C-alpha cells in the first residue's frame, strides 16, 4: 500500500533563508514521487519528480529533493526562500509506475509562510 | 500547448440546478482525472478515464456524472448537489505515471 506523511503542517521562514519541507513515504513498489505546489485558489503545479533515475532531483524555481530509500524520505529544499514561494506544498506518491492508469496518494500538505 | 483548461473558473448553483464542468487538454494525454478539493485538504480522487473509458470511480454519488466525449475533453455533469459538495474541482491529465500529472486551475463550486 502507498501512503505519504508530511511531517509539518506549517513551516515559516524568513526571506533569504533555507527551506526544508519534510516527506516520508510508504510504498509496496519502487515508487514515483512528486512535489506539487498550490498557490491560493489555483491548481497544482509540478515542482519536481523522482522516477528511479538520479536520487537528487532538481525542479523549478530553485527547489530540489533527495530520494533516500533507506530513510523512505523525499524532503524538499531550497537554499534561499522568496516571498513568492509562500504556498501549500504536497508530497505525492504514485502506484503502478510506468503505467498510465492508477492513482496518486497525497500527503496532507505543508503550508509555507515566508516573512519579509 | 502544455495546459489543462477548466471552465468555468467559478460556479454558483442551487440544489435543484443542473450544470456541467468542462476540462480540455491538447497534450495527447490518454488518462484524465477529476479531483475534489476541500479547503486546507489535499485533493481527493473522484474519477479516472483511460483511453476515454471510465476506469476508476471512487464511490462518488450519482449526482456527479462524468463524461469523456473524446481524448481531449472531460466533463463533469452536476445535478441535485448538496451544500457540502461545495469545493474546488480539479481536472488533471497524464501520459504515464512517471511523467506526473498536469492539473488545471480548477472550478470553484458553491452550492446554495
Amino acid at each position: 500500500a502507498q501512503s505519504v506523511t508530511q511531517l509539518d503542517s506549517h513551516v515559516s521562514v524568513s526571506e533569504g533563508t533555507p527551506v526544508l519541507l519534510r516527506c516520508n513515504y510508504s510504498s509496496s513498489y519502487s515508487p514515483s514521487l512528486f512535489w506539487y505546489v498550490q498557490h491560493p485558489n489555483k491548481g497544482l503545479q509540478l515542482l519536481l519528480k523522482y522516477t528511479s533515475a538520479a536520487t537528487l532531483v532538481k525542479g523549478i524555481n530553485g527547489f530540489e529533493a533527495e530520494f533516500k530509500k533507506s530513510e523512505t524520505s523525499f524532503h524538499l529544499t531550497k537554499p534561499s526562500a522568496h516571498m513568492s514561494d509562500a504556498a501549500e506544498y504536497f508530497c505525492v506518491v504514485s502506484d503502478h509506475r510506468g503505467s498510465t492508469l492508477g492513482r496518486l496518494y497525497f500527503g496532507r500538505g505543508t503550508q509555507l509562510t515566508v516573512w519579509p | 500547448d502544455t495546459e489543462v483548461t477548466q471552465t468555468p473558473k467559478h460556479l454558483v448553483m442551487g440544489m435543484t440546478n443542473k450544470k456541467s464542468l468542462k476540462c480540455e487538454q491538447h497534450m495527447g494525454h490518454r488518462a484524465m482525472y477529476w479531483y475534489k478539493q476541500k479547503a486546507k485538504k489535499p485533493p481527493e480522487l473522484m474519477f479516472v478515464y483511460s483511453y476515454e473509458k471510465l476506469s476508476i470511480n471512487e464511490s462518488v454519488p450519482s449526482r456527479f456524472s462524468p463524461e469523456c466525449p473524446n481524448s481531449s475533453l472531460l466533463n463533469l455533469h452536476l445535478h441535485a448537489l448538496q451544500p457540502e459538495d461545495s469545493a474546488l474541482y480539479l481536472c488533471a491529465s497524464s501520459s504515464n505515471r512517471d511523467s506526473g500529472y498536469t492539473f488545471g486551475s480548477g472550478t470553484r463550486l458553491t452550492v446554495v
Side-chain angles (χ1 to χ4, degrees), chain A residues 61-109:
Chain A
N61 301 335
F63 284 94
E64 292 183 349
E66 185 171 8
F67 174 73
K68 292 186 176 180
K69 186 175 182 179
S70 61
E71 299 176 9
T72 61
S73 69
F74 191 57
H75 302 334
L76 182 70
T77 61
K78 183 173 181 177
S80 176
H82 191 272
M83 295 295 290
S84 61
D85 294 328
E88 189 84 18
Y89 291 79
F90 292 101
C91 182
V92 182
V93 63
S94 72
D95 61 4
H96 301 298
R97 182 154 53 88
S99 166
T100 300
L101 188 60
R103 67 195 70 199
L104 299 180
Y105 296 86
F106 284 81
R108 63 176 176 171

Side-chain angles (χ1 to χ4, degrees), chain B residues 27-95:
Chain B
M27 295 176 281
H29 291 175
R30 303 313 298 268
M32 296 185 75
Y33 311 79
W34 280 115
Y35 281 84
K36 173 183 178 180
Q37 187 180 25
K38 302 286 274 185
K40 306 295 184 184
K41 298 289 186 182
E44 299 174 359
L45 182 64
M46 299 175 72
F47 302 104
V48 180
Y49 273 83
S50 178
Y51 292 88
E52 295 116 71
K53 294 191 186 303
L54 182 63
S55 299
I56 295 176
N57 177 341
E58 290 289 278
S59 302
V60 178
S62 59
R63 58 185 183 269
F64 296 91
S65 176
E67 178 196 23
C68 190
N70 59 56
S71 60
S72 299
L73 293 174
L74 186 65
N75 298 321
L76 186 62
H77 303 297
L78 314 173
H79 173 55
L81 295 192
Q82 304 297 310
E84 59 265 28
D85 296 321
S86 299
L88 181 67
Y89 288 83
L90 294 164
C91 175
S93 69
S94 69
S95 57

Side-chain angles (χ1 to χ4, degrees), chain B residues 1 9-10 19 26 34 36 60 69 74-75 79 101 103-104 109:
Chain B
D1 189 352
K9 293 192 182 303
H10 301 274
K19 296 287 185 183
H26 296 286
W34 280 115
K36 173 183 178 180
V60 178
L74 186 65
N75 298 321
H79 173 55
Y101 288 22
F103 282 85
L109 174 68

